[in-house]
Amino acid sequence: MEKYIVFHPKLTKPDRIVLEALATDVKLFSKSTAPNGAANGFANGAANGFGSNGYDKCHGNSKNAAVLSKLDALNDPKDAQFEPTVFSDNDVDQIQWDTNFNRHMLIPYIRVARSVVRVETDVVMLTHLLLYFSTSVPSALILFFWRFTWIHAVMHFIMQVSYMGTYTLMMHQHIHMRGILNHRFAIFDHLFPYVTDPLMGHTWNSYYYHHVKHHHIEGNGPDDLSSTVRYQRDDLLHFLHYFGRFFFVIWFDLPCYFIRKQKPLLAAKAFFWEISNYVALVLLYNWQPRPTIFVFALPLFLLRIGLMVGNWGQHAFVDAHEPESDYRSSITLIDVASNRYSFNDGYHTSHHLNPLRHWRDHPNAFLKGKELYETQGALVFHNIDYFMITVRLLLKDYDHLAKCMVPIGNEQLAMSLADRVSFLKLHTRQFSEEEIKEKFKA
């Protein structure tokens, strides 16, 4: 089944290492169960030094140790192999360092940037802040205060659409770490989202209250306002209901949730910031309607769609027997869009296991905990992002999803493609209220 595994040329270095490790497991399992397995030395696995999945555990452990050591070195500023992330599009070793610009401009920039960001790997976050404040902010100011043209407005919106995904996942790191810059720049670190968030479609502080103070507390359980368990996850009407509730009433639902949980202060804060943002939009529209639509309203509308499409994909596959398990209610993606351009957002299970884990540590944590992922029946996909998982589900294209699935653990490794399709369909089934009461102890 390894024929379905695709190594995209733009995979990050850690992603390629992780996918190679998983592909090796698939290949060895296929050999161990092949009719001529005995001739290849894979029969009677335990007696020949192979584990139950056909993997030479002694060799595998030593190889995994070397791989983990390399991944740890890439993240350790004190190690000679340390590599900060400078640009989303390229790893450091792919940059042509012998050009005059890179020698005299880029290398000094990296040296300074490492002291500006909170974590030295995160030079890319300063790079993106500089990008947003040199393009998005002045462009918006021109549309409001100098001259509005339709061409500029459309191009501005297209530019913001290209920024939204990466910005949102940068802010995902920001809200969990309570900042991305060195503490010497704490004031700017605290204030810049009030400028950039509305430009990218976010309402002030709502991401923090909904995601950190609510979603990670409930973990896709029945009290989670963005929970998927009450929906049939391959049904378009169910998705539209899911999206509509969030889009139209989250301003009311989230404060009510905090009140039910006896957290009135959080309720007041969530309500204040959400409504303040809407009031600001109304005032801006009454003053300058056309710039307000393109600079603030359209990004808000598009991002809210994106957030719900993404969250649906992140939590579409939920195990019917242990839906409370982070391993069985979220997934891992090894793909370019999620990990190269979105700060390893593909490692969603790892993130739910430890919301404070730094984004660069997710591939390491996955490999270190791979055996637990296997025994817990976790799901791993590759060459597909959360948006396309949602699209494929709503099209009921389980064949494509089965080909993107990377089997881990003996049960999954033994599955045919048809078995994978049936397996995935079981994980998208709507939970009844009786099942929710039983499984979630609600």
Side-chain angles (χ1 to χ4, degrees):
M1 299 294 281
E2 66 270 17
K3 66 181 179 181
Y4 296 118
I5 297 180
V6 178
F7 285 84
H8 194 287
K10 293 293 287 183
L11 283 174
T12 64
K13 187 182 297 182
D15 269 7
R16 181 169 292 275
I17 290 171
V18 169
L19 191 55
E20 284 172 350
L22 298 181
T24 297
D25 287 350
V26 175
K27 184 176 182 180
L28 289 173
F29 184 88
S30 297
K31 287 183 177 180
S32 72
T33 55
N36 62 342
N40 291 328
F42 285 92
N44 301 318
N48 288 325
F50 287 86
S52 58
N53 66 344
Y55 194 88
D56 179 346
K57 288 191 176 293
C58 295
H59 177 263
N61 288 339
S62 61
K63 184 176 181 180
N64 282 343
V67 167
L68 287 169
S69 178
K70 181 177 182 180
L71 287 175
D72 289 337
L74 292 174
N75 293 347
D76 183 1
K78 297 179 181 178
D79 196 287
Q81 298 182 63
F82 171 68
E83 292 185 6
T85 303
V86 181
F87 304 110
S88 296
D89 204 49
N90 300 101
D91 294 328
V92 164
D93 61 354
Q94 297 172 327
I95 298 174
Q96 298 295 323
W97 293 106
D98 56 350
T99 66
N100 285 330
F101 177 84
N102 288 344
R103 282 200 309 269
H104 300 296
M105 298 293 291
L106 186 56
I107 291 176
Y109 165 72
I110 294 172
R111 189 181 304 118
V112 172
R114 286 174 59 181
S115 68
V116 173
V117 291
R118 179 82 56 88
V119 181
E120 289 190 49
T121 53
D122 297 355
V123 172
V124 64
M125 294 190 178
L126 180 61
T127 304
H128 277 275
L129 279 178
L130 293 173
L131 174 66
Y132 304 143
F133 275 93
S134 62
T135 56
S136 298
V137 174
S139 176
L141 291 173
I142 288 171
L143 287 169
F144 270 99
F145 292 102
W146 186 40
R147 182 184 179 191
F148 176 91
T149 65
W150 291 104
I151 293 177
H152 181 183
V154 171
M155 294 303 294
H156 175 91
F157 176 63
I158 293 172
M159 176 178 69
Q160 295 308 103
V161 171
S162 72
Y163 291 166
M164 277 181 193
T166 302
Y167 176 83
T168 296
L169 274 303
M170 183 181 79
M171 290 309 299
H172 180 245
Q173 189 71 16
H174 188 285
I175 61 178
H176 278 290
M177 292 176 57
R178 307 308 296 137
I180 56 176
L181 301 179
N182 187 289
H183 292 293
R184 291 178 292 129
F185 307 99
I187 295 177
F188 178 78
D189 203 13
H190 176 73
L191 293 179
F192 82 78
Y194 291 95
V195 176
T196 52
D197 273 6
L199 296 175
M200 304 292 180
H202 289 271
T203 49
W204 292 313
N205 294 317
S206 296
Y207 194 17
Y208 171 73
Y209 292 118
H210 185 278
H211 185 77
V212 176
K213 294 298 185 180
H214 159 251
H215 176 62
H216 274 282
I217 302 299
E218 300 299 339
N220 201 52
D223 287 346
D224 189 338
L225 298 176
S226 54
S227 173
T228 58
V229 296
R230 288 188 170 92
Y231 296 94
Q232 179 67 32
R233 273 89 69 193
D234 59 4
D235 187 285
L236 178 59
L237 291 178
H238 279 229
F239 173 75
L240 291 176
H241 180 277
Y242 176 81
F243 165 73
R245 179 183 176 183
F246 177 83
F247 189 86
F248 292 107
V249 297
I250 191 61
W251 64 271
F252 179 75
D253 267 355
L254 188 58
C256 287
Y257 161 83
F258 287 129
I259 290 172
R260 288 195 302 272
K261 297 297 179 178
Q262 299 181 345
K263 298 177 180 178
L265 184 59
L266 284 178
K269 289 180 178 179
F271 182 79
F272 170 79
W273 286 113
E274 189 78 359
I275 297 303
S276 294
N277 210 106
Y278 297 151
V279 169
L281 282 176
V282 170
L283 293 174
L284 285 169
Y285 181 82
N286 288 332
W287 172 50
Q288 293 270 35
R290 293 182 300 177
T292 301
I293 290 172
F294 284 92
V295 174
F296 297 116
L298 287 178
L300 174 63
F301 177 75
L302 187 65
L303 182 75
R304 293 265 160 130
I305 295 175
L307 290 174
M308 288 297 95
V309 172
N311 195 75
W312 187 270
Q314 288 172 338
H315 295 285
F317 299 99
V318 182
D319 184 78
H321 303 291
E322 295 185 48
E324 285 188 296
S325 168
D326 287 327
Y327 291 99
R328 298 182 178 217
S329 63
S330 58
I331 60 176
T332 299
L333 302 186
I334 303 171
D335 79 294
V336 175
S338 302
N339 297 336
R340 176 170 290 283
Y341 297 108
S342 299
F343 301 104
N344 282 337
D345 188 46
Y347 292 90
H348 202 63
T349 301
S350 174
H351 175 60
H352 269 273
L353 290 170
N354 182 0
L356 296 180
R357 183 175 286 138
H358 187 262
W359 67 278
R360 280 276 298 253
D361 292 331
H362 286 308
N364 316 43
F366 176 83
L367 281 182
K368 288 175 183 176
K370 186 162 75 75
E371 288 190 11
L372 192 52
Y373 276 74
E374 293 169 357
T375 59
Q376 290 294 315
L379 282 171
V380 178
F381 295 87
H382 82 301
N383 205 35
I384 190 170
D385 60 29
Y386 297 118
F387 280 33
M388 289 312 300
I389 281 182
T390 296
V391 170
R392 294 291 179 177
L393 280 173
L394 297 180
L395 292 172
K396 301 186 190 298
D397 188 359
Y398 282 95
D399 285 340
H400 183 84
L401 292 167
K403 291 175 183 177
C404 291
M405 178 180 163
V406 183
I408 62 172
N410 291 342
E411 181 184 355
Q412 294 180 19
L413 286 165
M415 291 178 182
S416 66
L417 195 64
D419 292 333
R420 293 189 199 177
V421 168
S422 299
F423 181 71
L424 293 176
K425 285 182 178 180
L426 288 174
H427 282 67
T428 59
R429 184 179 61 83
Q430 179 183 13
F431 284 72
S432 68
E433 290 303 317
E434 291 73 18
E435 288 175 308
I436 288 173
K437 289 178 181 179
E438 177 189 350
K439 302 296 182 181
F440 290 94
K441 310 295 187 296

